[in-house]
Every structure is written in structure tokens, then in C-alpha cells.
Amino acid sequence: MPVMHFHVRWPDQSETRCYSPSLVVQDFLTPGQAYLLPDFLGRTREALGIASERVRAKFGFACSQAMDQLAEIEQIAQRFHQQPQAQVTVLRFD
């Protein structure tokens, strides 16, 4: 399976390089696009969930790295939970 990374910028201007075991993230996120935090979280939950299930279908087990990545994203997002207009920008894929 092709692995990809997606880079995001958080509302405090910090950046994170995120992992996906599948290119499916490209169906949910667009480089250069800013998403309100709840929308970004919903999109990444769905994309990484699908990616993990693709690993399960191919190898017989879910992708723990995808779930670890999702947990990290959700942990970082908690810092901005009280900011109703907080946005996350997808910078690029690689």
C-alpha cells in the first residue's frame, strides 16, 4: 500500500506531519484548504479509519499507526477546542 504524509498548520501556526497508510486522505483533504476544526477532525477520522480498514483487508489486521496518528491529531486539537472559529490548514501531501 502506498504510504503518504500530509502536513497541517494548526491555529497557533504550529505544524504537524501526519501519517496515512493509504492515499485515501486525498479524497478528504485538499492542500491549501483551511477547515474549521470540527470539519477537519471529522474528515481525518473518516479518512484514517478507511485507511486502517484497507490495511485490515490486505493484511488481516488494522493499522495501529493510523489510529495512533488520529489520537495525536485529536490530542493537538484539544488545545483549540474553545475557539469556535479555529481552522486547520492542509499544507501539502508527500
Side-chain angles (χ1 to χ4, degrees), residues 13-55:
Q13 302 306 304
S14 64
E15 296 181 9
T16 302
R17 180 178 186 241
C18 302
Y19 167 84
S20 173
S22 166
L23 301 179
V24 71
V25 171
Q26 294 175 327
D27 296 338
F28 291 87
L29 301 173
T30 302
Q33 179 71 41
Y35 299 91
L36 287 173
L37 185 60
D39 185 29
F40 174 75
L41 291 173
R43 289 169 180 270
T44 54
R45 283 182 192 122
E46 189 167 359
L48 291 173
I50 291 169
S52 180
E53 288 305 311
R54 287 183 177 179
V55 170

Side-chain angles (χ1 to χ4, degrees), residues 50-86:
I50 291 169
S52 180
E53 288 305 311
R54 287 183 177 179
V55 170
R56 182 189 308 278
K58 185 169 184 174
F59 299 107
F61 52 86
C63 180
S64 61
Q65 275 188 285
M67 296 300 92
D68 290 346
Q69 182 61 73
L70 180 57
E72 179 185 2
I73 288 169
E74 290 181 341
Q75 180 180 10
I76 294 169
Q78 283 298 315
R79 297 191 318 228
F80 312 107
H81 185 69
Q82 298 300 327
Q83 300 175 25
Q85 296 303 311

